[in-house]
Every structure is written in structure tokens, then in C-alpha cells.
Amino acid sequence: MKRIRKIGIVLAIAGSLLAEAVIPTAAIESDVAETESRTEDDNRLEDESQTEDENDTEAGEETELPEEPALEAPQLKAESSTRGGIKLSWKTAENVREYILYRSTEKTDGFKSIYRTKTKTSYLDTKCTPGKKYYYRLTVRSEEKEQTADGKVIAGRFLKQAELTNISNVSGSRKLVLSWKPVKGAEKYQVFRQNKSTGEYKKIATVDGAKTSYTDSKRTGGKVYTYKVCAVDANGGKGKQSAKMSQMAIDKNKKMIALTYDDGPSIYTPTVLDALEQNEAHATFFVVGNRVNQYQTYIKREVALGCEIGNHTYGHNSLQRLSSAQIQDVLGKTTRAVKKQTGVDIQVMRPPGGGYNSSVCKAADMPVILWSVDTMDWKTRSTSATIRCVKQQAFDGAIVLMHDIHKPTVQAADTVIKQLKKDGYQLVTVSEMAAYRGGMKDGKVYNKFRK
Ligand code: ZN
């Protein structure tokens, strides 16, 4: 009987070759001949071993007729795998000759075999749509007789990659509130925080699957924290970790200062960005709209680092001489360029040269941000003078004016930031500082945000 079935399979293989191959007849014939001869060889080898097996069995049957143990399919486990799919696993069971894995999209019907094995105890089902539920059943075939046993039907889901949507700092009390999109089939979520010195992510919390937020308390004000999140299914299987997201923890009781860089971006901007990133600091960049596309990489990095983009008009225009429509045009073009490159809506503006009047404020329709510490960097073009000026004039709530189009200025950034942090400042954006110091209104002028 075994032999007949084998030949049947051989014929089926040959048949499928004939049916599917689109090659000249001669080639088909030779291929088939080859397949047949090879398979016959294999059969001969297997037949020999089978004959021995059969002899053994016969000898056994003659002497004592042992009872074949009841065949039972092992418990099947289905879990989402970060390798991309649903991982099915089971334990080896006694007396089993073959494990056959079936899958369906319905619980009771439509099962099709997707995997057969004699020795393996796991299988990764990669042909599944993320988020969709699948049903699996493991059937085993016995060693001795043609006996089969079906296991219980279980459900599995390949969890979608989690996605952090926001990290907010609203309380200003060293608490960061993380939010993410719900993942279908998530029993739990795991939250990971990066260790800045090793770069590794450590699990800090496991959250119930019904929730989509987590509050990380007691963070240090002025430090930037980076998180990832992932969904976990009922069997402990995981979805892929989300992309990382960072936020600065802000302590409303600690000193704050807002560094601002005007007229960029320029080829020198990355030096400031490196210093900000390495020192866990934020700054505000008042950008000139006609430079946005050319330096889009830098603008994107500014946003990625948690910095703020401000509007400094499209062509560094002096606004006092312009009509309302013209003011709105040079600001609007910049806002749209930044939105297009970064997806960010600009919230603040700074008039070039600090020149404004009531009609500028009205047309701007945004908070107008000036400064309280003028480094005069454009005039001194001196790294040491810039460092000295910030050191001497810094105060809690100050807004510092610099320009990231001058090499000596960007070369001062690292020292300026380190020095301020050493003096106990949190280096925040203009909007972050305003949020804890009375807020801002459209059309109003601000040059500092004192407690
Ligand atoms: Zn300017």
C-alpha cells in the first residue's frame, strides 16, 4: 500500500511538470525521464529499508502483539514573531511519524495543510496578513499503523508593528506621557527606554492591551529620553518594535533658556545640530523660506531632534515696509515650505532685524519672538566672544539670539550648551518655555519668558 501511494506521488509530480512546463516537447520528455529514473532509485533505496522495517514488525507481531499507544497530537502554540509572521510550535509526541499543520481563516472550516514534517517542532507561517486572525490545527500520523489524530484548533495573529504617536510633557513635572496607536490582537504592550550610554533599549513597563498610553515619571528635567513600544499577544509573541521617538523631560521648577538661531539653514547648521544632539538640548531655528528646500535634510533633522522651526520670512524681508498681504505672502510661503518638508506647522515668527510695528504683528497672526540676549555674533564673528556673551548674560527665561550662517557661531555651540547645562539650565524651545511661563498669544511680542 505504501508503495502504491509513492508511485502515485511520482506520477503526480511528473504530471505537474508536464502540465506547468512551457518548454519544447523533447525537453519535457527528457526531464520526465530523468525525474522518473531518479525517483525510482530513491524508491528502491527506501523500499529496502522499508522491507527491513516490515520484517521487524512481522517478527514482533508473531511473538507478542504489543498494544499501540493511543496517538495524541501535542498542544499547538501560535505566537506573533518579530521575524515576520506567526510562529507555530509544539512538543515532540510519542509514536508520531509525521506532523501535519493545517490553517484556515475560519475556526471550524476550510483547513488546508501548509506544512508537513517528521522531525521539526516549529514552523514560521510568513504567508499571513498582519493583524488578521488565522486558525491552526496540528494533525499527527502514527509510526506503526495508518492512524491519525487531530489536535485542538487554536488562533494566532501576526501583530502589526506598533507606532508611537506622541510623547507629551504637559505637566512639566518630569513626567513624559507616551501614546501609541492600538494594535489589533494586542494582549499587552511593552515599553522600552533607551540607555543613552550604551544605546540599548531596556524594557521599562508592560501595559494592559486595552490601554494605549504610559506615563514615565521622575525623569530629569532637561534630559532627552528615547522610547520604543511593541505589542504582545496572548502567547507572549511580539510584533515588531515601533520606530523610536524622543522627548525632553521638562521640570517647571528648574531654570530654562531658549537658544535661537536665525537666517539658516546653511552649510554650518549640522555643527549646531551635532552639539544639540550630543548634549541633549533643544533650540529654535528661525529659518528663511527660500533656503528650506535646498537644506531640507537639516530642517528635517532639526525637527527629528525635537527642535522648533520658526518663520523668518521667505527672503529675509523687512516687514515694516510691506503691506499686510505682502507680509502674509512672505510668511505663508515659508510656512508651506516647512510643512511640505517636515509636516510641521510653524507656531512662531521673528521679523528680520527685529523690525516690527502693529500692522506687522496683526498680519503675522503668530506670536512675534524677539530676544533678550543679543550675542552680536554677526558682528564679532568670534567663537570666544559668543561663548562669553551667553555665559555673562544668561538668565532664567532668556531668549538668546545667534545665527547659524556664521562658522564662529556654530563652533561656539558645543561650549555654549555645555556651559548652560552646567549652570543648571534646561535648553528648551521657545514654545516649550512659553508653555510653562504664561503662554503666548498671536500678534503679541515676546523677548523673554520669566517665571
Ligand atoms: Zn535674520
Side-chain angles (χ1 to χ4, degrees):
M1 183 193 164
K2 278 178 185 167
R3 181 182 217 144
I4 291 165
R5 200 177 51 250
K6 278 234 162 66
I7 290 166
I9 292 166
V10 170
L11 289 175
I13 293 167
S16 73
L17 274 173
L18 281 168
E20 286 172 16
V22 188
I23 40 178
T25 316
I28 291 175
E29 276 165 8
S30 75
D31 270 7
V32 171
E34 225 176 274
T35 312
E36 276 173 357
S37 72
R38 196 168 53 229
T39 320
E40 269 166 17
D41 284 351
D42 290 349
N43 275 353
R44 266 199 295 279
L45 284 172
E46 281 194 32
D47 280 348
E48 275 163 24
S49 67
Q50 272 167 14
T51 316
E52 277 170 32
D53 283 352
E54 278 159 17
N55 284 345
D56 285 352
T57 315
E58 273 163 20
E61 277 168 0
E62 272 168 23
T63 50
E64 50 179 348
L65 288 166
E67 279 278 308
E68 192 176 322
L71 189 64
E72 208 179 322
Q75 177 68 49
L76 187 60
K77 188 177 169 190
E79 56 189 315
S80 178
S81 169
T82 49
R83 281 161 61 211
I86 299 171
K87 187 189 169 191
L88 289 312
S89 58
W90 58 91
K91 291 208 168 78
T92 45
E94 291 286 308
N95 206 31
V96 169
R97 177 186 171 80
E98 189 176 31
Y99 301 89
I100 309 157
L101 193 58
Y102 290 86
R103 183 179 91 163
S104 174
T105 49
E106 291 162 68
K107 196 170 181 178
T108 50
D109 245 344
F111 282 88
K112 287 193 178 112
S113 108
I114 55 165
Y115 183 60
R116 288 167 171 262
T117 177
K118 290 180 175 162
T119 52
K120 299 265 169 57
T121 55
S122 71
Y123 175 71
L124 184 66
D125 181 10
T126 54
K127 291 189 181 117
C128 46
T129 310
K132 200 173 161 185
K133 203 171 184 179
Y134 295 91
Y135 295 93
Y136 298 91
R137 193 188 73 220
L138 187 67
T139 295
V140 291
R141 258 183 349 120
S142 69
E143 185 84 50
E144 316 265 320
K145 294 180 188 169
E146 281 307 316
Q147 197 187 338
T148 61
D150 291 341
K152 263 188 5 195
V153 172
I154 56 145
R157 209 186 313 242
F158 173 28
L159 298 173
K160 276 189 180 163
Q161 182 179 16
E163 192 182 336
L164 276 166
T165 49
N166 187 46
I167 304 175
S168 63
N169 217 319
V170 280
S171 69
S173 300
R174 302 155 60 202
K175 282 181 187 165
L176 291 173
V177 184
L178 286 69
S179 327
W180 55 85
K181 280 188 181 169
V183 174
K184 208 172 179 182
E187 181 86 359
K188 291 172 199 159
Y189 293 98
Q190 288 181 342
V191 182
F192 302 85
R193 187 175 61 219
Q194 191 181 34
N195 177 321
K196 290 279 168 186
S197 51
T198 64
E200 280 165 16
Y201 286 82
K202 195 185 156 213
K203 188 175 87 187
I204 54 159
T206 304
V207 179
D208 188 275
K211 293 182 181 167
T212 53
S213 73
Y214 173 73
T215 302
D216 194 15
S217 309
K218 295 180 183 166
R219 299 298 96 213
T220 306
K223 273 183 88 90
V224 173
Y225 295 92
T226 305
Y227 299 89
K228 284 182 180 179
V229 64
C230 82
V232 184
D233 68 22
N235 290 316
K238 290 178 187 178
K240 210 177 158 200
Q241 283 187 350
S242 69
K244 65 179 180 180
M245 192 180 252
S246 304
Q247 183 59 279
M248 182 188 285
I250 298 172
D251 183 345
K252 61 185 174 190
N253 299 313
K254 204 174 159 183
K255 289 196 285 185
M256 296 180 202
I257 196 161
L259 298 183
T260 66
Y261 289 93
D262 288 14
D263 300 354
S266 80
I267 52 163
Y268 302 120
T269 306
T271 308
V272 177
L273 294 173
D274 289 345
L276 290 167
E277 185 171 15
Q278 281 155 22
N279 295 293
E280 298 185 48
H282 286 171
T284 303
F285 293 88
F286 286 96
V287 303
V288 172
N290 65 20
R291 307 176 74 94
V292 167
N293 288 342
Q294 187 187 350
Y295 296 106
Q296 52 170 283
T297 322
Y298 304 160
I299 300 246
K300 286 173 185 163
R301 194 173 159 211
E302 286 166 2
V303 171
L305 288 175
C307 292
E308 181 167 22
I309 311 288
N311 196 324
H312 201 43
T313 76
Y314 195 74
H316 207 260
N317 316 77
S318 294
L319 298 179
Q320 284 155 292
R321 295 187 208 104
L322 301 184
S323 69
S324 277
Q326 286 171 320
I327 293 168
Q328 281 167 358
D329 178 57
V330 295
L331 291 175
K333 279 199 301 203
T334 304
T335 295
R336 286 192 295 276
V338 169
K339 172 83 175 175
K340 193 181 151 212
Q341 294 297 348
T342 65
V344 167
D345 288 306
I346 287 184
Q347 304 291 332
V348 292
M349 66 84 69
R350 173 174 284 164
Y356 71 97
N357 54 34
S358 59
S359 58
V360 169
C361 290
K362 194 157 181 281
D365 203 25
M366 269 188 267
V368 177
I369 309 300
L370 300 182
W371 55 86
S372 36
V373 176
D374 187 353
T375 60
M376 303 290 280
D377 63 331
W378 59 274
K379 199 172 172 186
T380 68
R381 304 285 175 103
S382 157
T383 300
S384 60
T386 303
I387 293 166
R388 203 163 49 242
C389 173
V390 178
K391 169 95 180 152
Q392 286 169 355
Q393 298 185 32
F395 62 87
D396 184 14
I399 299 171
V400 181
L401 171 64
M402 289 177 285
H403 299 80
D404 55 329
I405 52 167
H406 303 307
K407 201 174 177 187
T409 302
V410 303
Q411 285 172 334
D414 189 62
T415 309
V416 163
I417 295 164
K418 280 194 167 81
Q419 194 174 262
L420 289 169
K421 291 197 80 164
K422 203 170 142 240
D423 291 343
Y425 286 97
Q426 302 174 94
L427 282 89
V428 296
T429 67
V430 167
S431 289
E432 282 168 345
M433 191 155 73
Y436 304 113
R437 302 283 170 87
M440 295 186 283
K441 285 195 178 110
D442 293 344
K444 292 268 180 228
V445 182
Y446 302 88
N447 63 9
K448 57 180 171 292
F449 293 94
R450 286 204 192 264
K451 244 184 197 170

